[in-house]
Amino acid sequence: MPAIAVIGAQWGDEGKGKIVDSLATQPNVVACGRFTGGDNAGHTIKPSPNEPSIALNIIPSSIVTGKPSIVGHGVLVNPITLYNEIEKLHGLGISTENLSVSLNSHVIMPYHRLEDYCLEKCKGSESVGTTNRGIGPCAADKANRIGIQMWELLNRELLSERLDFVIGLKQPLLEHVYHWDGIITDEKLRTAIGGYFEGHKIKKDAILDDCVALGNKLKKYLKETRELVNKYIKAGVVILESAQGALLDPDLGTWPYVTSTNPTIGGLLIGSGISHKEIAYVLGVMKAYTTRVGGGPFPTELKDETGDRIRKGGNEYGTTTGRPRRCGWFDAMPVNLAIDENGIDGLALTKVDVLEGIEPIMFCVRYEIDGKPKNSIHSVGQNCLGMVKPVYIEHRRSLQEYKGELEAATAHIDILSFGPGREETRYNLSDELRNLLY
Ligand code: IMO
Ligand code: MG
């Protein structure tokens, strides 16, 4: 039995969490996992109309189904967020017995979050608009081979030595390269990490004590997840849940306005440790319109009342940061790029209900530069995406027909979602996907 990959086909926040939740409840599915991203991601699930919705940042959406849920080594893990999430689930009466977190996940440290904050400040008007979760600096330390992995939290002596070395590098970086003034103006960030700094100084002992305490609390969840995923794949279907969206990929997306781990199919393979031969189906998730958080080109952005209406109707405010998301019309160009680069077999279309009552609905089928048609982002060149003029089709008929037109412009739509609840989902599964799930 193989794996189904679920990938965001836009700039993130496509509703992957809800789609994974509905797939995870199907009979053949034995486990789900997250294998890329970190707590920059946010997914909201609503198991039933009477239950409150649950927002998670690290733990896969499948945890509410009771099926084994894995956080693979490709995820950058902030142990504070992870522990708080586990506690939150327990508070809601949801068991985490079936949660496993990779021993080899890289740890997001308080100094990573501060570095993220300082670097964004230095960039000024060129800032990426990150989630301030320390993703970039943690990924950089991983690449630089000075990162700390989860298993190291279990050994105080070793961790102490490692922190001495790394903090020895970070301290002058913060003070003399970023010229950090010792002040964190962002209140949320200050509350989260303020206790780990004194003036300009990183408080190593506070970090060490808390990391060791968290390591002890999280110990029972830490596993060799690579082996685990491969074991589950032999027993049934495993869902690989990506984070973010294809256009936020640092290699394939709208660089430099991207995240720092690969949310595309390659990232899922590397972050889980399974063979590409196990991937039986790639499901792309896209919204009936487009959103983006942070900076970067966004050709179909609506800076008008319609944009405000979509933002309000779709509750387009970040799960992680609360920031209002930039909203715009559906754009087939990024979705088609995601389809090509990830080998997407079918799509899930979400938030169709949000467009109800908006007329006309527009969707972009190609771009123009200087009056010349451009039929793909490749032909535009990612650096020129800010200069394109979107060419729209105007739509005045039913949402059902809108779906048909979107399919014609992109790919087969397997799942249609018109609300946050599990019951607000319609399936039109391809034979391939149906055979995998049932
Ligand atoms: P989910 O999983 C939307 C964006 C940030 C910023 C850029 C880099 O909910 O779809 P980072 O903190 O990763 O260094 O920020 O990436 N970003 C997301 N946008 N959804 C997400 O995740 C995102 N995770 C990161 O807004 O522009
Ligand atoms: Mg999100």
Side-chain angles (χ1 to χ4, degrees):
M1 281 286 216
I4 298 173
V6 179
I7 289 177
Q10 294 162 320
W11 277 280
D13 304 316
E14 298 92 349
K16 298 173 290 291
K18 165 174 171 173
I19 298 302
V20 167
D21 175 70
S22 52
L23 294 177
T25 48
Q26 306 306 327
N28 283 357
V29 175
V30 292
C32 289
R34 284 252 341 255
F35 300 103
T36 173
D39 62 349
N40 50 349
H43 30 286
T44 312
I45 25 181
K46 192 167 175 62
S48 80
N50 312 322
E51 288 172 73
S53 41
I54 302 165
L56 296 169
N57 295 112
I58 300 180
I59 299 177
S61 327
S62 53
I63 195 78
V64 298
T65 66
K67 289 189 183 171
S69 301
I70 302 154
V71 176
H73 59 261
V75 179
L76 308 175
V77 176
N78 184 326
I80 304 173
T81 316
L82 176 62
Y83 181 70
N84 289 343
E85 233 165 71
I86 291 171
E87 288 289 286
K88 179 162 109 181
L89 288 167
H90 290 171
L92 292 165
I94 298 165
S95 164
T96 55
E97 277 308 302
N98 265 334
L99 173 68
S100 311
V101 178
S102 172
L103 285 157
N104 298 106
S105 292
H106 275 255
V107 178
I108 298 178
M109 289 286 183
Y111 50 77
H112 288 135
R113 296 197 63 181
L114 188 65
E115 227 182 302
D116 194 354
Y117 165 84
C118 288
L119 185 56
E120 283 282 277
K121 278 206 146 177
C122 288
K123 285 184 178 174
S125 64
E126 306 279 295
S127 74
V128 177
T130 71
T131 58
N132 248 335
R133 294 297 175 119
I135 300 295
C138 181
D141 281 6
K142 178 175 175 177
N144 254 338
R145 290 146 299 184
I146 56 166
I148 289 171
Q149 295 188 329
M150 287 301 279
W151 65 271
E152 294 178 87
L153 304 189
L154 304 176
N155 184 332
R156 188 182 176 99
E157 248 166 74
L158 175 91
L159 182 62
S160 177
E161 275 175 33
R162 299 274 284 111
L163 284 174
D164 279 337
F165 178 75
V166 180
I167 291 174
L169 298 171
K170 300 290 178 187
Q171 188 60 57
L173 179 73
L174 289 170
E175 250 180 284
H176 305 303
V177 177
Y178 291 130
H179 302 291
W180 181 46
D181 53 11
I183 297 166
I184 304 171
T185 48
D186 182 301
E187 201 187 313
K188 260 188 168 166
L189 184 66
R190 193 170 61 239
T191 311
I193 63 167
Y196 298 108
F197 302 90
E198 180 116 55
H200 294 94
K201 299 287 175 215
I202 304 172
K203 285 162 73 178
K204 181 213 155 182
D205 287 342
I207 296 179
L208 179 64
D209 288 347
D210 283 7
C211 280
V212 171
L214 283 161
N216 270 321
K217 288 177 185 164
L218 296 169
K219 196 173 173 178
K220 64 182 262 206
Y221 301 104
L222 300 183
K223 309 250 168 70
E224 189 54 75
T225 55
R226 209 152 118 177
E227 204 182 322
L228 210 58
V229 182
N230 280 296
K231 188 187 94 185
Y232 285 128
I233 282 180
K234 297 210 164 54
V237 173
V238 174
I239 308 281
L240 313 177
E241 174 182 357
S242 193
Q244 289 88 40
L247 278 292
L248 286 173
D249 187 288
D251 293 278
L252 302 173
T254 46
W255 198 88
Y257 298 98
V258 292
T259 188
S260 303
T261 59
N262 296 94
T264 44
I265 190 76
L268 280 179
L269 293 174
I270 292 169
S272 62
I274 69 166
S275 157
H276 68 97
K277 290 179 185 160
E278 307 285 2
I279 306 279
Y281 204 84
V282 183
L283 184 72
V285 186
M286 60 180 190
K287 271 196 280 221
Y289 47 91
T290 313
T291 63
R292 224 193 142 152
V293 208
F298 182 178
T300 61
E301 182 168 14
L302 288 165
K303 293 179 178 167
D304 60 5
E305 273 170 35
T306 311
D308 293 341
R309 185 168 165 181
I310 292 174
R311 186 174 306 106
K312 234 176 128 191
N315 191 24
E316 296 296 350
Y317 299 89
T319 315
T320 308
T321 59
R323 285 181 293 178
R325 296 179 185 140
R326 297 158 69 192
C327 297
W329 294 122
F330 182 85
D331 185 351
M333 301 282 273
V335 172
N336 281 327
L337 184 76
I339 290 173
D340 288 348
E341 290 179 339
N342 293 285
I344 287 175
D345 296 294
L347 292 159
L349 178 66
T350 65
K351 296 204 154 181
V352 183
D353 52 306
V354 176
L355 296 182
E356 198 93 51
I358 297 179
E359 211 189 84
I361 298 169
M362 315 279 269
F363 76 89
C364 168
V365 283
R366 64 171 181 279
Y367 299 147
E368 270 178 19
I369 297 185
D370 301 329
K372 290 192 198 87
K374 298 283 175 186
N375 291 316
S376 73
I377 291 186
H378 281 310
S379 68
V380 170
Q382 282 167 359
N383 301 341
C384 301
L385 199 55
M387 284 145 56
V388 304
K389 185 174 157 285
V391 178
Y392 290 107
I393 287 186
E394 194 177 300
H395 189 93
R396 291 183 181 275
R397 285 155 299 166
S398 72
L399 285 174
Q400 186 57 36
E401 278 167 316
Y402 180 59
K403 175 188 164 254
E405 285 179 11
L406 287 191
E407 273 189 312
T410 55
H412 171 74
I413 294 174
D414 287 297
I415 303 173
L416 196 70
S417 164
F418 44 93
R422 268 186 194 156
E423 69 295 345
E424 294 165 304
T425 317
R426 209 156 58 221
Y427 297 91
N428 181 28
L429 302 185
S430 62
D431 293 343
E432 232 179 318
L433 185 55
R434 188 177 318 105
N435 290 337
L436 283 168
L437 293 172
Y438 303 102

